[in-house]
Amino acid sequence: MIATAASVGIRLQGVTKVFDTNTVIDNIDLTIRSGSLTTLLGPSGCGKTTILRLIAGLETATSGQIWIGDQDVTALSASHRDVAMVFQSYALFPHMTVGENVGYGLKVQNVPRAERDERVAKALADVGLAGFGPRYIDQMSGGQQQRVAVARALILQPKVMLFDEPLSNLDTKLRRSMREDIRELQQKTGITSVYVTHDQSEALAVSDEVVVMDAGRIAQIGTPEDLYRRPGSAFVATFMGEANILDATVERQGATLVVGIGGARLELADARPGLPEGEAQVAVRPESIRLVAEGRVQGPAGTVKACAYVGAATEYEIECAGAGVFAIVPAGQPVFGPGSRVTLAIDPVGVAVFAETGRPAA
């Protein structure tokens, strides 16, 4: 993605937000790159939406500074920050046509009618709604209404776009389509964007970078692949998709970590400084586990407690060394029913060692 000339970065420096006696954001430092799409991801109540509202100017920081580009906007009102926001509820005017909704901000800015109509037509075409201007909002589907909300924000040509859980009201298939559209539009315009969601798959699909939040603090920042493959804690591992947290032993051999899990020794090409040796915990992704009849290979043994066919795969719950293990095995592999004794064959690619356990995701 190439950032446009108007793209700017965002910087939060020592930002804290307290409501009454409740610290919602706790001394956060965060830099968002110019022209990027950065997602704030975390469970309900972790502070991600509050950060979005602080950037927008809809909330005031208790302490700290907020910069948009080279301008300190900490004390500026929302109307002076050159920021546009797409709300979860869309916040469209039902008594206005689609075109009037999209052009409302330009009308407030006293943009001449001819220029306004031209820009409205272009904005609607950009979101795949060319010709929909005369319709009313109640004549539009949920996905179309979301596109109208995006067009209304884009038409203002803001320095920063903010998305507050924009797809949460859509069904699964439409969410997938809309997240692809939002990502494509962001890359096309190069507008620095901040996207809030609690949906891990959404964050993985749209982001240049993901900020995982936990209890008002940043748990980890990284690319979607980094966070999924190399989580820094048990909390991040379990929040970035499904993960089994298992006891293991770790031994460093040059540029390789040798991880022992239930008799199996797995070599990981990940020997970053700070990773533990000796007894540790590791994350094992469910899709990295294959089931083999007990005794066929070396590895942890267990008993199948439940299995469910879900189309492209079979999901298993396995009792292994007193712990529950979740496995996702692609269709076409041998199927083991409840009560079967199996050995877990684990692909090292799906194993991650982290330095701290943190708290598991709720």
Side-chain angles (χ1 to χ4, degrees):
M1 179 197 64
I2 299 175
T4 66
S7 294
V8 297
I10 303 169
R11 181 161 54 93
L12 279 65
Q13 185 174 1
V15 171
T16 294
K17 178 62 180 177
V18 179
F19 291 106
D20 296 325
T21 60
N22 183 28
T23 301
V24 180
I25 301 298
D26 190 4
N27 192 33
I28 277 183
D29 293 317
L30 175 63
T31 298
I32 295 170
R33 291 182 292 107
S34 171
S36 69
L37 192 158
T38 297
T39 295
L40 305 178
L41 174 69
S44 297
C46 71
K48 56 188 185 294
T49 295
T50 300
I51 290 180
L52 203 73
R53 292 176 64 83
L54 287 166
I55 295 171
L58 300 176
E59 300 286 354
T60 303
T62 304
S63 61
Q65 291 178 297
I66 300 171
W67 296 75
I68 295 179
D70 58 3
Q71 184 179 20
D72 182 351
V73 300
T74 311
L76 293 184
S77 66
S79 61
H80 290 86
R81 294 197 183 193
D82 201 1
V83 168
M85 191 163 178
V86 178
F87 295 92
Q88 179 178 348
S89 62
Y90 312 152
L92 300 172
F93 299 115
H95 64 285
M96 293 183 181
T97 65
V98 167
E100 289 168 342
N101 267 279
V102 173
Y104 180 76
L106 298 181
K107 185 177 181 180
V108 171
Q109 294 176 356
N110 294 316
V111 173
R113 178 64 181 266
E115 179 185 346
R116 193 164 74 234
D117 289 347
E118 182 180 345
R119 287 171 65 177
V120 166
K122 182 180 185 304
L124 287 174
D126 284 344
V127 298
L129 292 177
F132 281 71
R135 295 194 187 186
Y136 282 87
I137 297 304
D138 61 3
Q139 298 174 309
M140 309 287 281
S141 67
Q144 289 171 333
Q145 289 182 32
Q146 184 57 270
R147 291 171 190 268
V148 174
V150 171
R152 184 179 59 183
L154 280 174
I155 201 172
L156 298 174
Q157 299 174 341
K159 290 180 179 177
V160 171
M161 282 273 286
L162 306 175
F163 295 88
D164 185 14
E165 306 221 30
L167 309 183
S168 60
N169 293 330
L170 305 179
D171 62 49
T172 301
K173 186 175 181 180
L174 194 51
R175 275 204 305 272
R176 189 182 306 117
S177 172
M178 277 302 302
R179 76 190 186 198
E180 291 170 359
D181 290 341
I182 287 174
R183 179 57 170 161
E184 182 180 352
L185 274 170
Q186 191 276 328
Q187 290 185 308
K188 178 181 176 181
T189 62
I191 298 174
T192 306
S193 301
V194 185
Y195 190 105
V196 162
T197 184
H198 62 273
D199 186 310
Q200 300 93 328
S201 61
E202 213 170 287
L204 290 169
V206 303
S207 311
D208 293 304
E209 193 165 62
V210 178
V211 180
V212 182
M213 299 287 300
D214 180 26
R217 297 184 178 184
I218 295 173
Q220 190 174 350
I221 302 174
T223 65
E225 183 177 1
D226 281 341
L227 293 177
Y228 191 80
R229 297 297 181 193
R230 291 173 287 278
S233 67
F235 171 77
V236 175
T238 52
F239 202 81
M240 292 298 295
E242 297 277 0
N244 299 290
I245 308 301
L246 303 177
D247 293 327
T249 59
V250 179
E251 177 185 349
R252 189 178 297 272
Q253 294 182 357
T256 301
L257 287 183
V258 179
V259 176
I261 305 175
R265 288 174 61 82
L266 309 172
E267 292 188 359
L268 276 58
D270 180 11
R272 292 167 292 156
L275 294 181
E277 293 185 72
E279 294 185 358
Q281 284 190 313
V282 299
V284 179
R285 296 295 179 188
E287 66 273 15
S288 69
I289 300 173
R290 296 292 177 266
L291 303 187
V292 182
E294 187 178 23
R296 296 284 183 86
V297 297
Q298 190 179 43
T303 302
V304 175
K305 306 303 291 183
C307 64
Y309 173 72
V310 292
T314 301
E315 297 180 347
Y316 290 93
E317 294 286 347
I318 304 151
E319 185 176 332
C320 179
V325 174
F326 179 57
I328 301 175
V329 179
Q333 299 292 314
V335 176
F336 297 90
S340 299
R341 290 289 297 173
V342 294
T343 298
L344 279 58
I346 302 171
D347 185 343
V349 172
V351 179
V353 179
F354 34 78
E356 56 183 85
T357 57
R359 69 169 179 82

